[in-house]
Every structure is written in C-alpha cells, then in structure tokens.
Amino acid sequence: NAGVTQTPKFRVLKTGQSMTLLCAQDMNHEYMYWYRQDPGMGLRLIHYSVGEGTTAKGEVPDGYNVSRLKKQNFLLGLESAAPSQTSVYFCASSQLPSAPTGTDTQYFGPGTRLTVL
Amino acid sequence: QQPVQSPQAVILREGEDAVINCSSSKALYSVHWYRQKHGEAPVFLMILLKGGEQKGHEKISASFNEKKQQSSLYLTASQLSYSGTYFCGTEKLVGARQLTFGSGTQLTVLP
C-alpha cells in the first residue's frame, strides 16, 4: 500500500496563476482533509470531505476550492495564487469513526511545498 | 480555537524525560498526538479520549485531564529518534471529524 500520496512535491507559481494539488489514498478511507502548515502555526484545516461527492469548509478555506469526484482522490485548487498562500500543504485521510471510540487516526501524505512569487 | 502547547521547545540529553502539555479552553472529546520530523509528514502516536485511561506507545505515554481540559505527553528515557516536533490535535465532539492542531513543541534530543 502506498498510503496517502501527493502530487506534485514542489511547485513555484507566480501571483495570479492557478494550480491543482492532487491527493490520492489507497486505504479505502471515507474522510479526506487538506491542511496548510506555516512556520509556528501548526496545521490548519482548509477543506475536508466526508465521502465521495461531498466537501466542507475548514478553518481557512478562502482562496481555495476542492473536489472529491472519486473516493480515492481529493483535489485542492488555487484559482488565483497569492504570496500569502506560500506554505506546505498536507493531505490526510481517515476511516469512518469506529466504535467504541467514535474517532479515528488521520494518515498524512508527504506534503507539497508551494511558493508563490 | 487552537489548543495551547507548552513548552514551545525543549532540549534534552539522551535518557532524560520530558513532558509536553496541550490545553484547551473548550471542552474536548479527544486529543490526538502526532510527531513530525523535519521535512516529513506528521506521524500518528496515540489518541486520548474523554473519560479514557492513560495510553502508551513504546516509552511514550499520555494522559487526559478532563477537569483541566489538558492532555500531557510523557517521553521517558528519551532516544535520539524522539527528536522532532510534537503536535496535539483536539476534537470537540464525538464524530466531529475535524482536528484543531496546536502550534507544536520542538523536541531536540542530544547524545
């Protein structure tokens, strides 16, 4: 199993350009997440999905869009990149909450380092 | 609201112990602990549940104090491999499916 993979690993954009980050998981997980990580800020949730065809906003959704057309893939789009979106982006996935705990582990991909000039 | 982790950084010698705290101003259902090495993805360590008992993983264990809404991560007899940044992620409701992460505690273990 590859687990959670992310494409690309690195990218440099100019202000105003657009791009899509791809996250794929082969663990048949229902839930998928996109986070951004900035120095000293920890991980902040951008958007998440609780199943194929569903998406929801997280803590910092502005400037991003997402789609979950297939269960195994979760796409993060930047329509018009800004320097404030320079960050490391992590994708994660998890199973349905399992009894008796009602929660489950999130598994993270290796990250995409994005620089917007 | 982001949980508060303390300390922000700690430096140890191999074999020494450390405690990392994660506090929330809101009632929590669960606390998830992760470790991240530089340039890598966060790796899951353990989950602490409201009303649950102390968990353990190798020489790393954790507890959850419901009265204080605080979780503590205990690293005993630390090894060089324990170096990294430790994050707590908090979940307010059962099934909320959203974790709010603290800003991390950077742990450095020296030989």
Side-chain angles (χ1 to χ4, degrees):
Chain A
N1 283 353
V4 181
T5 58
Q6 292 182 233
T7 310
K9 287 188 170 53
F10 302 94
R11 186 71 186 269
V12 178
L13 290 179
K14 293 182 180 177
T15 296
Q17 287 185 321
S18 63
M19 78 161 294
T20 301
L21 281 66
L22 170 64
C23 175
Q25 53 94 5
D26 61 2
M27 297 176 282
N28 201 35
H29 285 172
E30 288 294 330
Y31 295 176
M32 296 186 75
Y33 310 83
W34 276 108
Y35 293 92
R36 60 177 289 173
Q37 186 175 38
D38 303 298
M41 298 287 292
L43 293 149
R44 292 184 292 168
L45 183 64
I46 305 171
H47 286 279
Y48 64 103
S49 167
V50 298
E52 182 178 320
T54 74
T55 62
K57 293 181 181 179
E59 183 188 351
V60 289
D62 294 342
Y64 304 96
N65 56 75
V66 287
S67 64
R68 182 103 180 266
L69 298 179
K70 292 183 180 180
K71 185 177 181 179
Q72 64 268 32
N73 295 337
F74 196 25
L75 305 179
L76 178 70
L78 286 74
E79 289 185 349
S80 179
S84 60
Q85 294 177 306
T86 293
S87 188
V88 180
Y89 292 86
F90 285 101
C91 176
S93 70
S94 66
Q95 294 176 346
L96 286 169
S98 55
T101 64
T103 187
D104 213 326
T105 305
Q106 292 189 18
Y107 295 88
F108 285 81
T112 295
R113 187 173 294 275
L114 176 67
T115 301
V116 183
L117 302 174
Chain B
Q1 193 170 0
Q2 188 179 32
V4 177
Q5 286 188 235
S6 63
Q8 289 187 320
V10 59
I11 300 175
L12 301 172
R13 293 279 179 191
E14 246 184 315
E16 291 181 339
D17 302 340
V19 180
I20 299 171
N21 296 309
C22 173
S23 298
S24 172
S25 59
K26 305 279 186 184
L28 300 175
Y29 174 70
S30 68
V31 179
H32 301 222
W33 284 98
Y34 287 81
R35 177 173 60 207
Q36 183 179 31
K37 294 189 180 283
H38 184 68
E40 299 181 7
V43 174
F44 171 76
L45 292 175
M46 65 191 74
I47 295 173
L48 281 300
L49 300 178
K50 173 183 172 180
E53 54 191 39
Q54 186 160 333
K55 295 281 190 181
H57 176 79
E58 300 176 344
K59 292 181 182 176
I60 301 174
S61 62
S63 63
F64 183 16
N65 185 322
E66 280 183 64
K67 282 187 180 179
K68 293 184 178 180
Q69 294 304 318
Q70 177 176 293
S71 179
S72 296
L73 186 71
Y74 308 96
L75 299 98
T76 57
S78 57
Q79 306 168 11
L80 295 176
S81 62
Y82 287 1
S83 291
T85 302
Y86 289 77
F87 292 98
C88 66
T90 57
E91 190 176 25
K92 292 198 190 81
L93 300 169
V94 58
R97 306 317 302 141
Q98 291 187 60
L99 293 179
T100 305
F101 284 90
S103 57
T105 295
Q106 189 171 346
L107 180 79
T108 303
V109 181
L110 301 175

